[in-house]
Amino acid sequence: DIQMTQSPSSLSASVGDRVTITCRASQTIASYFLNWYQQKPGKAPNLLIYAASTLQSGVPSRFSGSGSGTEFTLTISSLQPEDFATYYCQNSYSTLGPFGQGTKLEIK
Amino acid sequence: EVQLVQSGPEVKKPGESLKISCKGSGYTFSNYWIGWVRQMPGKGLEWVGIIYPGDFDSETRYSPSFQGQVTISADKSMSTAYLQWTSLKTSDTAIYYCARRTDSGRDRLDYWGQGTLVTVSS
């Protein structure tokens, strides 16, 4: 089974910072099947980016995704107060495609 | 507007049974997979299983950790998916989310329910 590992597990940053979260797959995966979700405290996850780099409708353009093969990144170009949340990557090649363990983004 | 609306919070005792629901609206329910995802307190997201309601026969797949522990079903006439337990354990305490999987070659979970908190305690 393919495993998804995110780094870092937690991150402290300030409003206005540029932040990058990395997701590594244990085997090569097609970029069509790499997704990113945001989860705010007490809320359901929300799809941010799919197919590695396509922004879901309504997601601000400060979010971007890139990568291929086994390494993918989520970048927030200028952190806003509402971006402090936990972020998960997911490999959706199979119907039960695994999630990464999450990266908690906290205010410095 | 696509919506997934889940049933309300539950408090149960160990050994009791439970069935929670996820009602879809704003799209053709039978044409999309609906998955169930568990989130234990303070932890990440993990798959329980997924169901494709279909026009005729449905198809269900379970995560190995949950095979035999839960049952996922769907009622197409009600546009509703279900997750049920016959004998709850304290370790089943978690939030359970349903989510719609869009299958387009760029597969993703594009809509999520609000979550159902299940608390199992003696």
Side-chain angles (χ1 to χ4, degrees):
Chain A
D1 293 353
I2 297 177
Q3 310 296 322
M4 308 300 290
T5 304
Q6 293 179 227
S7 60
S9 295
S10 63
L11 174 60
S12 293
S14 302
V15 172
D17 283 353
R18 180 184 180 88
V19 164
T20 296
I21 297 168
T22 299
C23 177
R24 289 185 176 87
S26 58
Q27 300 173 41
T28 296
I29 63 172
S31 59
Y32 291 142
F33 300 114
L34 193 286
N35 306 317
W36 290 97
Y37 302 88
Q38 177 193 62
Q39 186 179 30
K40 296 182 181 179
K43 299 294 186 182
N46 182 50
L47 177 65
L48 275 184
I49 289 172
Y50 63 95
S53 60
T54 302
L55 254 60
Q56 174 70 347
S57 176
V59 173
S61 59
R62 62 181 179 273
F63 291 92
S64 64
S66 65
S68 63
T70 62
E71 187 163 320
F72 299 86
T73 59
L74 170 69
T75 299
I76 310 172
S77 60
S78 178
L79 272 174
Q80 299 302 300
E82 60 268 29
D83 300 337
F84 291 94
T86 300
Y87 294 85
Y88 295 92
C89 64
Q90 186 221 1
N91 169 22
S92 61
Y93 176 74
S94 66
T95 47
L96 299 178
F99 296 94
Q101 82 278 17
T103 295
K104 186 172 184 179
L105 179 51
E106 298 175 304
I107 300 173
K108 185 183 285 184
Chain B
E1 179 196 7
V2 174
Q3 281 192 307
L4 296 175
V5 178
Q6 297 185 230
S7 50
E10 301 277 358
V11 179
K12 292 289 189 179
K13 291 183 168 28
E16 291 185 331
S17 62
L18 175 63
K19 191 174 189 177
I20 63 175
S21 65
C22 169
K23 183 174 177 60
S25 61
Y27 72 101
T28 302
F29 182 78
S30 58
N31 290 355
Y32 291 81
W33 292 88
I34 289 281
W36 288 96
V37 175
R38 183 176 79 172
Q39 188 167 43
M40 298 179 77
K43 302 298 184 183
L45 307 173
E46 58 180 325
W47 278 107
V48 177
I50 196 166
I51 187 165
Y52 184 76
D55 289 330
F56 302 102
D57 295 330
S58 63
E59 181 179 351
T60 310
R61 300 173 185 174
Y62 294 94
S63 169
S65 301
F66 292 90
Q67 181 80 47
Q69 307 302 309
V70 298
T71 301
I72 293 171
S73 59
D75 181 338
K76 291 185 281 288
S77 68
M78 299 288 289
S79 297
T80 301
Y82 301 96
L83 173 63
Q84 70 179 88
W85 297 258
T86 56
S87 181
L88 286 159
K89 307 178 184 66
T90 55
S91 57
D92 292 318
T93 295
I95 298 173
Y96 294 84
Y97 294 102
C98 63
R100 188 185 84 161
R101 175 184 167 95
T102 284
D103 250 339
S104 62
R106 288 167 171 76
D107 303 342
R108 66 253 190 206
L109 300 171
D110 56 356
Y111 290 91
W112 293 69
Q114 82 276 21
T116 295
L117 174 62
V118 174
T119 304
V120 185
S121 174
S122 53

